[in-house]
Amino acid sequence: MKKISNVLFLVSGIFICHFAKAQTLAGKPYQEAHRPQVHFSPREHWTNDPNGMLYYKGTYHLFFQYYPKDIIWGPMHWGHAISKDLMHWKELPIALYPDSLGYIFSGSAVVDSNNTSGFGRDGKIPLVAIFTHHDPKGEKEGKNNFQNESLAYSLDEGNTWTKYSGNPVLKNPGIKDFRDPKVTWYAKEKKWVMTLATLDHITFYSSPNLKDWKKESEFGKEIGAHGGVWECPDLFPLKLNGKTYWVLIVNLNPGGPNGGSATQYFIGEFDGNKFTTMDNDIRWADYGPDEYAGITWSNTGSRKIFLGWMSNWQYANQVPTEKWRNAMTIPKELGLRQADGKILLTSNPVRELANIERAPIDINNSLLTGKSAKRIPDQFILKFNINKINDYSVILSNDEGEKLIIGYDNTKKQYYIDRAKSGKIDFNAEFAKRAFAPRLTSNTSSSNIELVIDVSSVELFADNGLTAMTGIFFPHKTFTQLQIQNSKGAIIRNLKLLPLKSIWRRTGH
Ligand code: FRU
C-alpha cells in the first residue's frame, strides 16, 4: 500500500481497524442491546410503518404504526414524534387510538391551508390526517369491506387530534385490501388527490374538501411487481433537467427482490386523473431486505424526503430485541437521474445527517501503518470511491467471530449484504440469506459508496444513490472491527470514516 498525495491506493490487500466500545449502559432507555443510535425507534414497544409525515412551521411530524402494549403487532394506534432537523426526535403522546370503527392503520397528513375541509376555526389552519380504519370484527366475520378511509384534524399545530364525526369519508366498495391513503394537493385543478392501495392496483380519488371523494382511475393491475399485496403508496412530482416527472411509490408485501416486503416505484405522468408510466420496467427504491412502507413527507416543497420502516414482514415480529421492536430508516432525499438511457430514482441520506457527524477519524494513516487500535463509536458513516472497479468488501466483526459483509461482485455487477455469520440469525429461516442489488450504471471508470452504519443496521448508497440497500443485523456483541478487502486490482481511495453522535443522549429523552 502506498499513499500518493492523500489518495489511498490499495492494490490488493486488507486493512483492519480495531475500536474499543463505549460501555453499554444496558437497560437504560435507548441503550438496550441492538438499539439504533441514529435512527428513530419508539422508546418502548412495537412499531411498523411511518405514517402522516408532515412538515409544518419548522417541525417534522412523524406518526407511526404503534402497539403500546407489546413488542408484537397488535391493535394499531398512531404513535407520534417530532423533530426540527430530521435527526433528533422527541416522542409525544399517542396521537390516534383505535375506536368503534377499528384500528388506526396507515395513512398521511396534509396542511389544509385554505380550510377546504372547514375544520379550521378562528383563523387556525387545520392539519388533517387521512388514515384507514381497519375493523377487526368485520375481518373476523369474513366481510370484504372492513377497511375504510377516515379523517382526524388538529388545530394546535399537530399536538392533539380530533377524529371527524362523519367518519368514514371513503367507504369500501368491497375490496378486502383497501388502505393506506396518501393525499396531496393538486394545485392545477385545486383539488386533493388520494392515492390508495387497493389489493393489486392503485386507485386514485379526488376531492374538493377531503370529505367527499370521487374515483378518478386505476393503475397497475398489469404492470410492476405482483408477488404480494400492494400497500402504502405515494405520488409526487420530481424534476430532471427542467422537466417534471411523476413518481408513484408502491410498497409490496411479499414479492420484494430479496423476499418479503419492499418498495417499488414507477416514473411517468399524472394529469390530475390518470397516471401513466414511461415503461414497464420493475424498479425498486431499496433492494435490501429491510426497507418497507417508505413514503415521503408532505409540505416540504420541491424537496422530497423519504422515510421507510427498517424491517421486513418476514421476521419483524421475531427480531431479537426486548422492550422495543423495529426502527425507521435514515430520512433520504429523493432525486431523479439518467443512467444508461433510463430515468431512475436516486436516494441519499438527507444533508441533516451532517448535523450529527463528528470529526473524521484518520483511518488511512492508522490502517496504513498498522498502528495501535483506534476507538470508534458504534455508529458511523463510511465513504469511499472506487476508481478501478472490481471486487471489494467491507467487513464488520467482533471478537466472537461474528461478521457482517457488505460488498460488490464485479462479475455479477451486484452489491450484496451477507449476514449469514452476523450473530443472532436463527429466529427466522429467511434472515441469513445473502441479499443482492444490481449496480445500475455501466460506468466502469468510477463508483462511490456511502454506508450509514448503526448498532444494528447498515444502509448502502452506491453510485450517488442509484442503488440503495438496507439490512439489519443482531450480533451477540457489538461489532468492534472494520476491515476492507479488495481483490482483482480494485482500487479504493478517499476513504473517510465519520463517527456519528447518538441522537438520544443529547436530548435526554
Ligand atoms: C404495511 C401495512 C399497511 C397497514 C399497516 C397495518 O406494513 O400492512 O398496509 O396499513 O401495515 O399495521
Side-chain angles (χ1 to χ4, degrees), residues 223-488:
I223 305 173
H226 282 278
V229 178
W230 283 22
E231 300 182 317
C232 299
D234 196 356
L235 175 75
F236 51 85
L238 273 181
K239 277 200 170 146
L240 178 66
N241 302 328
K243 190 172 175 235
T244 299
Y245 296 84
W246 285 81
V247 179
L248 175 66
I249 301 256
V250 176
N251 286 277
L252 170 76
N253 178 53
N258 283 292
S261 12
T263 306
Q264 65 175 318
Y265 70 91
F266 303 89
I267 298 180
E269 280 178 20
F270 182 72
D271 63 5
N273 311 92
K274 220 172 157 330
F275 177 83
T276 34
T277 44
M278 292 187 316
D279 56 43
N280 290 347
D281 292 0
I282 292 177
R283 300 174 163 94
W284 302 97
D286 189 303
Y287 284 84
D290 296 309
E291 182 283 310
Y292 191 57
I295 50 169
T296 62
W297 258 276
S298 75
N299 203 36
T300 53
S302 57
R303 192 179 179 207
K304 285 290 149 203
I305 309 167
F306 176 95
L307 188 81
W309 174 45
M310 198 154 59
S311 193
N312 189 315
W313 280 116
Q314 283 180 325
Y315 42 72
N317 275 285
Q318 299 158 358
V319 293
T321 58
E322 289 169 18
K323 288 205 165 73
W324 59 282
R325 205 179 250 147
N326 306 322
M328 301 301 164
T329 64
I330 280 292
K332 307 173 191 187
E333 176 130 14
L334 300 181
L336 293 178
R337 244 211 6 260
Q338 192 140 16
D340 294 358
K342 302 211 163 194
I343 296 172
L344 299 173
L345 191 69
T346 57
S347 55
N348 285 290
V350 289
R351 56 178 178 263
E352 287 84 348
L353 184 58
N355 296 353
I356 60 168
E357 283 173 11
R358 289 183 194 277
I361 288 188
D362 181 10
I363 52 172
N364 291 5
N365 230 1
S366 62
L367 292 167
L368 284 169
T369 60
K371 268 197 203 150
S372 59
K374 285 226 179 217
R375 185 163 171 240
I376 298 176
D378 294 348
Q379 59 279 352
F380 59 96
I381 299 172
L382 182 70
K383 290 183 190 179
F384 55 88
N385 296 337
I386 305 96
N387 84 336
K388 185 159 183 302
I389 299 174
N390 220 317
D391 298 359
Y392 55 86
S393 57
V394 173
I395 304 161
L396 304 181
S397 60
N398 60 19
D399 50 20
E400 305 271 300
E402 295 170 347
K403 58 184 176 181
L404 175 87
I405 311 168
I406 305 125
Y408 178 64
D409 178 335
N410 195 45
T411 314
K412 295 187 179 144
K413 305 267 180 281
Q414 278 177 338
Y415 298 101
Y416 61 87
I417 298 178
D418 187 339
R419 49 190 180 187
K421 299 205 169 74
S422 65
K424 304 172 191 171
I425 54 167
D426 52 8
F427 51 86
N428 184 285
E430 301 301 316
F431 188 78
K433 283 188 185 157
R434 191 186 263 220
F436 299 96
R439 182 164 190 249
L440 294 171
T441 165
S442 54
N443 174 347
T444 48
S445 60
S446 73
S447 173
N448 60 66
I449 297 294
E450 176 163 0
L451 299 175
V452 179
I453 293 170
D454 202 342
V455 177
S456 53
S457 64
V458 56
E459 286 157 287
L460 163 86
F461 302 90
D463 304 300
N464 294 316
L466 273 183
T467 298
M469 211 182 178
T470 302
I472 54 176
F473 50 82
F474 304 94
H476 284 91
K477 274 194 192 164
T478 316
F479 290 132
T480 51
Q481 295 174 49
L482 166 69
Q483 196 175 343
I484 299 181
Q485 296 185 336
N486 59 321
S487 59
K488 301 184 191 162

Side-chain angles (χ1 to χ4, degrees), residues 48-49 65 73 76 105-106 179-180 231-232 292-293 313:
N48 54 291
D49 315 355
Q65 289 285 277
W73 190 90
M76 284 290 110
F105 269 23
S106 290
R179 60 177 178 267
D180 309 339
E231 300 182 317
C232 299
Y292 191 57
W313 280 116

Side-chain angles (χ1 to χ4, degrees), residues 3-71:
K3 201 175 177 192
I4 304 171
S5 55
N6 276 337
V7 174
L8 173 66
F9 279 73
L10 291 166
V11 180
S12 85
I14 298 180
F15 51 89
I16 300 182
C17 184
H18 283 268
F19 41 90
K21 285 287 143 178
Q23 275 194 343
T24 324
L25 299 163
K28 291 215 174 172
Y30 302 108
Q31 293 177 12
E32 307 89 347
H34 309 304
R35 176 73 94 163
Q37 293 300 309
V38 297
H39 292 82
F40 175 78
S41 57
R43 187 183 167 107
E44 295 184 299
H45 299 129
W46 166 272
T47 188
N48 54 291
D49 315 355
N51 294 150
M53 289 141 67
L54 171 79
Y55 180 66
Y56 189 58
K57 292 199 174 167
T59 298
Y60 292 93
H61 290 265
L62 166 62
F63 301 88
F64 48 91
Q65 289 285 277
Y66 187 48
Y67 183 43
K69 291 198 179 142
D70 207 338
I71 56 165

